[in-house]
Amino acid sequence: MAQRKHICILSLATVHQDGRVLRQIEYASRQHDVTVVGWGHLDKPRPNVRMKTVEPWTFSPAQRRLQAGLMLAGRISPAFWERWYWRKPDHREALRLVTETPCDLLHIDEAIALPIGIKAAETLGCKVLFDAHEYSPGQDTDKLWWRVLAQPFYTHLIRHYAPRADVMTTVALGI
């Protein structure tokens, strides 16, 4: 009998509240051993699945101002976005947890988790599936804060990290 492959699912969303991620876990665990790294917990015990919880980090008001400054500076140099990203303790913790999880496939949910997943996959030597969910560069363009801070950052993530994934999926071809 062949040994079961191992999939690590990385999600920086509250796992027990994310129906899409729960369906991915359900489907993957039918034929594979699954480790989930993310916020929250599983919605219920599941065979062949274990959860490694990352505590989401919330910055103080002063820290948020510094973070906003780094996000603005990223428009000048993407190195500031990388600095912003890796300053977050939950991002560093997620990287640690994924890197200590040998797997055959690393399934990255959403663009915000791309840097963690790509860096971990390079260390682990595994294949990467990036699921962009509903992300589109045109989303939330009616919101000034999104256009100024988030949209350029997410565009950077997609351009810099997504091409390093072995395969990418999303909900629709137009996205």
Side-chain angles (χ1 to χ4, degrees):
M1 182 174 183
Q3 184 177 2
R4 290 169 62 94
K5 299 281 185 178
H6 187 218
I7 297 174
C8 180
I9 297 176
L10 170 62
S11 175
L12 294 182
T14 307
V15 172
H16 62 277
Q17 296 175 338
D18 192 321
R20 184 179 180 125
V21 174
L22 292 171
R23 287 188 299 277
Q24 293 166 348
I25 294 166
E26 179 70 27
Y27 182 79
S29 66
R30 291 178 189 164
Q31 295 182 2
H32 308 286
D33 293 324
V34 177
T35 299
V36 181
V37 175
W39 296 343
H41 52 82
L42 295 174
D43 59 333
K44 62 184 179 184
R46 296 171 179 269
N48 308 315
V49 179
R50 69 181 171 141
M51 178 83 194
K52 292 184 174 185
T53 300
V54 176
E55 293 299 322
W57 181 259
T58 304
F59 289 110
S60 69
Q63 290 171 321
R64 280 197 298 274
R65 286 190 291 280
L66 174 61
Q67 297 307 310
L70 289 171
M71 291 297 281
L72 282 170
R75 295 175 66 106
I76 298 165
S77 171
F80 288 104
W81 284 323
E82 295 294 325
R83 185 169 176 200
W84 171 87
Y85 191 89
W86 294 110
R87 283 178 54 92
K88 291 196 73 199
D90 52 344
H91 292 173
R92 293 191 310 268
E93 176 68 0
L95 176 63
R96 184 187 69 77
L97 292 172
V98 173
T99 304
E100 71 180 27
T101 307
C103 59
D104 299 291
L105 175 70
L106 177 52
H107 181 135
I108 304 168
D109 272 300
E110 303 209 35
I112 194 66
L114 267 170
I116 297 164
I118 294 300
K119 193 171 192 175
E122 289 170 353
T123 300
L124 295 168
C126 63
K127 297 287 185 181
V128 173
L129 181 151
F130 166 50
D131 184 347
H133 286 226
E134 292 83 13
Y135 173 72
S136 168
Q139 80 180 39
D140 294 325
T141 54
D142 59 322
K143 298 173 185 150
L144 178 63
W145 73 268
W146 178 266
R147 287 193 319 268
V148 173
L149 294 177
Q151 187 179 34
F153 169 67
Y154 275 87
T155 299
H156 164 73
L157 291 181
I158 297 297
R159 285 187 179 149
H160 185 71
Y161 291 99
R164 294 157 68 181
D166 295 288
V167 67
M168 179 179 160
T169 62
T170 190
V171 297
L173 188 57
I175 292 177

